[in-house]
Amino acid sequence: ICAVIAACAHAPAHQLGVRPVRIALESEPIMLDPRLAVDAYSSKINELLYRGLFYYTDDLILTPDLLDQYAIKSPTSFSFTLKKNLHFADGTPLTANDVVYTYAWIRDPKNKSPHRDGFALIQSMTVYSDLRFDIELKEPSAPFLNRLTLGIVPKHLGDTTGFSEHPIGSGPYRFVVWKRGQFLKMTPHHASVAHPVNPPPSFSTQVDIVTGK
């Protein structure tokens, strides 16, 4: 999905016109909340709607995404600084509080997140400013940073009813509408800070994920 959209992003406007890009899927996603989604189709679409602290390049190299910088202070202590001017698709700023909220929500047993085990070693999270926060682990964990590719959810919306059906993220695309069994429509998120590998698509591009048979 991402490869097709990335190609469209660099196509001349006269080739795209006003017609949407349509991508057919064999099956539709189960939900559009990265804290709960585990199926392949949900995960691929969530990559367009959300962004994490890190992402994988095509060569499978873990690379900062939302992060401006980070430091491994010890095997159990990490310091993170977000990029400036990050926003969710509804225009609200993405801050360290949203990051900490997302990870705390996943760790809460009552939410039954399938990703909970990946964040179970977190001992504490401390926010110092809108951009800077630290995470302390109970013990060293080699794959911990890999877990931080999971998309960040806005704190002010993450507990609202129906969030997984009407998601708001910070990815290169903004959710528009989802008709189950028929289609899922997205448009470019203009305020999304450029992704190093898949830059935001042309402003004239609209994507319809066709899920009906």
Side-chain angles (χ1 to χ4, degrees), residues 32 53 60 109 111 160 196:
L32 300 179
L53 299 187
L60 299 181
N111 294 321
T160 57

Side-chain angles (χ1 to χ4, degrees), residues 86-143:
L86 294 171
H87 291 84
F88 290 106
D90 66 349
T92 59
L94 188 160
T95 72
N97 287 308
D98 298 296
V99 178
V100 170
Y101 160 78
T102 299
Y103 299 159
W105 193 99
I106 292 170
R107 296 177 65 238
D108 191 332
K110 76 173 187 292
N111 294 321
K112 300 180 180 180
S113 171
H115 304 289
R116 182 169 179 260
D117 287 349
F119 293 83
L121 286 179
I122 292 179
Q123 176 69 46
S124 64
M125 297 183 284
T126 305
V127 174
Y128 296 102
S129 69
D130 284 349
L131 300 180
R132 184 169 170 268
F133 62 99
D134 285 357
I135 295 179
E136 299 285 338
L137 302 183
K138 299 174 185 177
E139 60 186 60
S141 173

Side-chain angles (χ1 to χ4, degrees), residues 149-170:
T149 58
L150 188 139
I152 301 304
V153 169
K155 181 178 180 180
H156 67 291
L157 294 174
D159 291 310
T160 57
T161 302
F163 178 80
S164 65
E165 299 282 332
H166 299 86
I168 296 291
S170 61

Side-chain angles (χ1 to χ4, degrees), residues 53 64-71 78-84 86 96 99 128-134:
L53 299 187
D65 188 355
L66 295 176
L67 292 175
D68 180 52
Q69 58 184 341
Y70 72 100
F78 304 83
S79 178
F80 303 94
T81 302
L82 296 173
K83 293 176 180 175
K84 297 179 179 179
L86 294 171
V99 178
Y128 296 102
S129 69
D130 284 349
L131 300 180
R132 184 169 170 268
F133 62 99
D134 285 357

